[in-house]
Amino acid sequence: MADHPTAAIIGAGSSGIAAAKALHERGIPFDCFEASDRVGGNWVFGNRNGMSSAYRRLRINTSRDRMAYADFPMPRSLPDYPHHTQIAAYFEAYVDHFGFRDRIRFETTVRHARRRDDGVWELTLGDGSVERFDALLVANGHHWDARWPEPMFPGHETFAGVQMHAHDYRDSDIFAGRRVLVLGMGNSAMDIAAEASDVAERTFLAARRGAWIVPKYLFGRPVDQMPNDPRLPLALRMKAFELMLRLRVGRPERYGLPRPDHAFGQAHPTLSGRILDCLRQGAITPKPNIARLDGEEVEFADGSRERVDVVVYCTGYRISFPFFDADLVSAPGNRIGLFRRALHPDIPNLYFVALVQPLGATMPIAEAQAQWIADELRGEYARPARADMLRDIAAEDAAMRRRYVASPRHTIQIDFDDYLRDLERERRAGAARARAVGFPLPVPARAAAGDSVRA
Ligand SMILES: Cc1cc2nc3c(=O)[nH]c(=O)nc-3n(C[C@H](O)[C@H](O)[C@H](O)COP(=O)(O)OP(=O)(O)OC[C@H]3O[C@@H](n4cnc5c(N)ncnc54)[C@H](O)[C@@H]3O)c2cc1C
Ligand SMILES: NC(=O)c1ccc[n+]([C@@H]2O[C@H](COP(=O)([O-])OP(=O)(O)OC[C@H]3O[C@@H](n4cnc5c(N)ncnc54)[C@H](OP(=O)(O)O)[C@@H]3O)[C@@H](O)[C@H]2O)c1
């Protein structure tokens, strides 16, 4: 154990705790830094870190059994799509079950992460103290830095109503008796428009492009539990799913929504059990994109105008790393080139956990990545040569650009089952490489071993 590199984890949300658990059970010394006073990140409603985007009635939209960590099933007593309080309690139970709570340093923000010339990471904490580690795992989440429309719509500075981002939405009481406009076709827009329609005088849903809307259940089963065999070609699976959607739900145009300009699977899935009913019942009025804001009114791309009291921009999030100098690591346009979405090809002791947008749940991905990272920290995995990683990253990026609608929301997409299968193959290939070179400890900072323990 003394020979293992020391590691720091930034964040104890669902990704950071998966990483902490893997390092804990694999005997790698680590500290996990968490800005908040509890684990769970986004799933802690009103989290004191100010970073949670959860609203009072939020439920997961990936089903219980798909979202659970592989070695810690959610209780069968929970519903298919539990409430955020149940999810937050599940993460707390995970930490206690595997017994690593004492490795999490709560209310400790990492303000700055600097990599010295010898590879050692120097972390500056909220109180100004500096600590050093051989390896850094980043699990700071990517759904907290609100992305407002870019550019903002003409007239936004003088608009008479309220303008807010989905990140700041908590409860529908703010919509009571008001005329509400929700912009976007992602999952935030679906939930918030449906909640608004319960209490608002009018609810409008504006979109710049259509989306295939997937109900939470198909044939009585949670939709993400439908058969999805990664051995079958992806295009065939997507086509089959689109056909099933058309048969069970009908085309989005039947609900007054714009016709999608893409096939199913070429955009991140929009799931909603309620939105289609709300549209058909007239509780929500669909609109094209906003053209401009004008005093108390909003003008839409088709020239129609409506008086609006509140605009909710459900326009997504930026990937941000406030603790890195931008010339070291950043994600302009939400793009960041990582090998299999986790390993930095040029900084061998820097890892990202669940910096992905899966067609499926995030937690089992974090769990698998964490075990893979632990393999490397123990010398049981040797990564491919840099040139091979760069080729792999470029090929993956090209495939994503070919497949998905061009949008900053489609830069870190993965297919859940396919990704997990490919990662397992890569772990095996890397284990063979490690065997061939005698199980090297991978972290360059070993040269400075005397300096690489916690201060
Ligand atoms: C409304 C909403 C609903 C969602 N629903 C689902 C769903 O149903 N299923 C699904 O799989 N995904 C869903 N997601 C995606 C969501 O990102 C993941 O569920 C999950 O929260 C990711 O966990 P994380 O640990 O990566 O990030 P987070 O949950 O954001 O946690 C990050 C943690 O890092 C800490 N942190 C950040 N910076 C620092 C720092 N500098 N120093 C110390 N600590 C720091 C934060 O305090 C926080 O605790 C949803 C997202 C949103 C916005
Ligand atoms: N219940 C749940 O579990 C739940 C609820 C909410 C969110 N989430 C998750 O949280 C994450 C974020 O979801 P999100 O819905 O907040 O963001 P998102 O998926 O990034 O969707 C953003 C939406 O805004 C549109 N948009 C962006 N900029 C625009 C502009 N300038 N003008 C008009 N439209 C614009 C996008 O359109 P384009 O496609 O054209 O870019 C897209 O429809 C996702 O992982 C989602 O699954 C889950």
Side-chain angles (χ1 to χ4, degrees), residues 11 13-15 34-35 41-43 49 60-62 110 141 143 361-363:
S14 55
S15 307
E34 171 50 56
N42 182 57
W43 292 97
N49 64 11
I60 59 171
N61 65 3
T62 49
V110 175
H143 288 133
T362 319
M363 295 71 202

Side-chain angles (χ1 to χ4, degrees), residues 5 8 23 84 118 122 126 174 211 216 227 287 327 352 421 435:
L23 301 196
H84 63 73
D118 61 2
E122 270 188 0
I174 56 163
K216 283 186 164 171
K287 285 283 181 188
D327 58 356
F352 293 80
R421 177 203 55 188
R435 268 195 302 280

Side-chain angles (χ1 to χ4, degrees), residues 222-245:
V223 69
D224 61 1
Q225 292 176 24
M226 302 291 296
N228 177 38
D229 186 342
R231 285 170 305 186
L232 295 173
L234 191 72
L236 180 71
R237 282 180 270 154
M238 294 299 156
K239 202 72 218 156
F241 196 87
E242 183 180 318
L243 187 66
M244 204 157 54
L245 264 187

